[in-house]
């Protein structure tokens, strides 16, 4: 099993920055992909960015150039640096981890990000 705990959400004005953190624990050696997703009010949960075990990153077009996903292996923590935030970035942000053995998807509890105009 893998446990994921997000932190770092909050209220920020448009143009501001926030950094989200996702601390992973448990069977972390089995994780093959980690990422961030978000769910805006009334919408489905969408991919924001992912990070594979090989170091490949992938971003949603809407956040390219503004958000950066990174990780600190020593701390078993993944980050999402969010710059130039827009009101449309308002959502609950979820940390995600996929393991191969066994194949399973884990989610954190989510952290609220609110961007005021």
């Amino acid at each position: 099993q893998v446990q994921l705990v997000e932190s770092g959400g909050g209220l920020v004005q448009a143009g501001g920055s926030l950094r989200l953190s996702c601390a992973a624990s448990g069977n972390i050696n089995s994780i093959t992909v980690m990422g961030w997703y978000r769910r805006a009010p009334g919408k489905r949960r969408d991919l924001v960015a992912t990070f594979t075990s090989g170091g490949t990153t992938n971003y949603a077009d809407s956040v390219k150039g503004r958000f950066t996903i990174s990780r600190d292996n020593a701390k078993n923590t993944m980050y999402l640096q969010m710059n130039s935030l827009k009101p449309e970035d308002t959502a609950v942000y979820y940390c995600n981890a996929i393991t191969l053995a066994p194949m399973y998807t884990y989610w954190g509890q989510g952290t609220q990000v609110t961007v005021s105009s």
Side-chain angles (χ1 to χ4, degrees):
Q1 288 225 350
V2 173
Q3 294 78 41
L4 304 171
V5 179
E6 302 103 330
S7 61
L11 173 64
V12 64
Q13 289 188 331
S17 299
L18 281 175
R19 188 177 80 158
L20 305 183
S21 299
C22 173
S25 61
N27 190 19
I28 59 174
N29 290 328
S30 64
I31 295 174
T32 183
V33 179
M34 289 190 74
W36 291 96
Y37 288 72
R38 67 185 180 186
R39 177 178 284 155
K43 297 187 177 182
R44 67 178 187 184
R45 184 158 52 188
D46 286 329
L47 178 142
V48 176
T50 59
F51 205 128
T52 70
S53 58
T56 302
T57 57
N58 180 52
Y59 295 91
D61 288 342
S62 59
V63 307
K64 282 181 181 177
R66 300 188 298 123
F67 290 11
T68 303
I69 190 171
S70 63
R71 64 188 181 189
D72 185 332
N73 291 331
K75 296 182 179 180
N76 297 327
T77 300
M78 178 179 64
Y79 303 97
L80 185 69
Q81 178 66 44
M82 305 185 294
N83 299 327
S84 303
L85 282 161
K86 305 175 181 180
E88 51 263 43
D89 294 318
T90 295
V92 178
Y93 284 70
Y94 297 90
C95 178
N96 165 277
I98 300 173
T99 60
L100 283 182
M103 183 170 285
Y104 200 79
T105 299
Y106 295 90
W107 295 96
Q109 81 284 359
T111 185
Q112 177 71 47
V113 171
T114 303
V115 184
S116 63
S117 57

